[in-house]
Amino acid sequence: MTIRIKPAFQLFMAAVMAAVLFISFGNDAKAKSLAFAASDDAWMWGTSFMGSSTASLSVYGAQNKKAYLKFTAGGADTIQDAILKVTCVTGGTATIEAYAGMGNTAWTESTLAWNNQPAVGSLLDSKNTTFVAGSTYSFRVNGLVTANGTYSVILKSAAGSEVAFASKEGVNAPQLIVSDGTTPVSSEGPSLAGYTLYRDYSFGTSRGVNSLTSLSNNFNAYGIAGTTVINKEWQRYQPINATNHVLTANSLDLTAVANLGGVYDGGISSGQITTKETFYPSNGKTYMFQLRAKIPNGVGTWPAFWMYSPGGTGSTNSEIDIFEFFNSPTQNHYDWTGYDHGSGEGDNYYSIMTNQWVWHPGIDFSADYHTYTLIWKEGEIQKWVDGTMVKGTNFAWFGPAPQVLINLAIGGSPNSNPTAATFPAKFSLDYFRVYVKN
């Protein structure tokens, strides 16, 4: 969120790099993602075959309920990535794990039995979360699906409530999606295998953070820098309130309105939340910070999800921008930006950036919710959008441990000035979660 100046030479070099990248990746033009429907799915309760329901497949660890899904992949070249997508029909808080089904792949949903069920093989992926009915969840299964062929995946629960997923006979049937390109296929984010859910802030009046009191208990309205205005921004952040922090049934809408006098610098109020705790991946920890959100697309809007240290002994004003979206003549809601600051910023060891400033995949990020993720271990950060790793950077943090900030800024440099049509602007948050791996 801090100011960045882009000299003409740097912009010229960015254009050159963009052209080079276009040429370099031209050979991937035939790379594709393919989706396959389940040929069979069923579930078992212990050793009892429960058949293929016309609606759902139950998964519940306490009663040994497991779901079995079978897919046949074909027509792909060398498979680089694969995910299983399933839709929840009965929700609950649980740890659901996806395993490789080993042995028999000739089973069908009418013949599955205790004596021919595929054996539970290696763990492929795991999700420790509150599963919500109607939401689709992705499990990365590239450890199993590496070439064309027939595969079984087993869903089982390690802890928590009973959860049911749509079967192939129901609405939103399971899918196996594979990519034979170099970019991972889209899912909700990187694998959660090995991580423990540390903080779960699911926003909305029907969910965990369901009131302004609850929001105030978990977050501050101001960051470490207090009410200081940065980057010549036009908004003024307000205490947590019903105008700028709007809770719907399933979201928190950080909202900017021109109610402090009008559409000018200082005439706009807006919402921000910041964590009360700070984070640093010491002692071998790895943190994963994940936000599922829908950004606005009005002129001059500047939604951001970032980490900041205000200075102090040994600090070089380190900062990690997990994402920013400007709305200016040169960047808009199609252009993800994830910049880093401080003397500890090193080289990118992985990048699919369109140029040194942005990633432009051709997606209108304001049209729907997307999941934005930072993985941080000491000396290294990775940034993901949905199931795509955008870049990995060698990065050393200097100074006090940072807090996490989620805010909707308006105007400022290098952004455009807003217009009356910009307002009200909404930055909608589904959930913010923190995972940790030791």
Side-chain angles (χ1 to χ4, degrees), residues 325-349:
F325 286 93
F326 302 100
N327 207 301
S328 70
T330 57
Q331 290 180 226
N332 58 24
H333 45 285
Y334 285 83
D335 300 307
W336 174 96
T337 301
Y339 203 76
D340 307 305
H341 302 267
S343 61
E345 181 189 4
D347 295 332
N348 292 334
Y349 61 84

Side-chain angles (χ1 to χ4, degrees), residues 31-32 34 75-81 145-148 178-182:
K32 55 187 178 295
L34 301 172
D77 294 329
T78 302
I79 292 177
Q80 302 290 337
D81 198 31
V145 182
T146 58
N148 294 320
V178 305
S179 170
D180 59 8
T182 57

Side-chain angles (χ1 to χ4, degrees), residues 163-433:
V163 177
F165 298 99
S167 71
K168 73 182 184 68
E169 287 80 11
V171 179
N172 298 318
Q175 284 187 314
L176 173 69
I177 302 176
V178 305
S179 170
D180 59 8
T182 57
T183 301
V185 291
S186 177
S187 70
E188 296 173 309
S191 171
L192 291 172
Y195 284 90
T196 300
L197 182 62
Y198 176 66
R199 293 284 185 264
D200 183 3
Y201 303 111
S202 296
F203 301 107
T205 55
S206 64
R207 307 173 74 190
V209 183
N210 54 23
S211 67
L212 295 183
T213 298
S214 176
L215 188 63
S216 298
N217 288 340
N218 290 291
F219 297 93
N220 291 321
Y222 302 104
I224 296 171
T227 58
T228 302
V229 177
I230 61 174
N231 303 321
K232 300 180 181 179
E233 295 163 14
W234 284 24
Q235 87 291 334
R236 300 296 182 265
Y237 293 119
Q238 302 297 305
I240 290 174
N241 68 90
T243 298
N244 304 116
H245 304 79
V246 180
L247 283 160
T248 72
N250 295 297
S251 71
L252 167 64
D253 294 344
L254 300 180
T255 306
V257 292
N259 63 347
L260 298 182
V263 184
Y264 62 85
D265 187 355
I268 297 154
S269 68
S270 190
Q272 173 178 243
I273 57 173
T274 69
T275 58
K276 293 186 175 182
E277 61 190 313
T278 58
F279 301 89
Y280 183 79
S282 57
N283 301 318
K285 287 182 180 178
T286 301
Y287 277 113
M288 183 187 296
F289 304 92
Q290 196 164 78
L291 176 69
R292 185 171 187 266
K294 182 179 180 181
I295 65 165
N297 64 4
V299 175
T301 54
W302 187 355
F305 174 35
W306 55 301
M307 308 185 77
Y308 176 64
S309 180
T313 303
S315 178
T316 54
N317 289 323
S318 293
E319 179 181 323
I320 300 172
D321 294 331
I322 306 170
F323 77 70
E324 299 175 271
F325 286 93
F326 302 100
N327 207 301
S328 70
T330 57
Q331 290 180 226
N332 58 24
H333 45 285
Y334 285 83
D335 300 307
W336 174 96
T337 301
Y339 203 76
D340 307 305
H341 302 267
S343 61
E345 181 189 4
D347 295 332
N348 292 334
Y349 61 84
Y350 177 86
S351 177
I352 59 169
M353 299 284 283
T354 307
N355 59 49
Q356 71 179 107
W357 301 108
V358 304
W359 178 49
H360 183 91
I363 297 169
D364 180 356
F365 288 97
S366 70
D368 203 350
Y369 283 86
H370 292 273
T371 303
Y372 304 92
T373 303
L374 172 76
I375 298 176
W376 186 17
K377 64 181 179 180
E378 202 160 29
E380 178 185 333
I381 55 177
Q382 293 180 4
K383 296 177 184 179
W384 293 66
V385 178
D386 298 319
T388 298
M389 181 175 163
V390 180
K391 70 171 184 172
T393 306
N394 297 310
F395 188 86
W397 186 274
F398 292 98
Q403 62 184 163
V404 180
L405 303 92
I406 306 169
N407 61 274
L408 176 55
I410 300 293
S413 176
N415 212 12
S416 290
N417 294 337
T419 68
T422 299
F423 305 102
K426 294 191 303 182
F427 180 18
S428 298
L429 316 181
D430 178 354
Y431 61 75
F432 167 55
R433 292 174 182 151

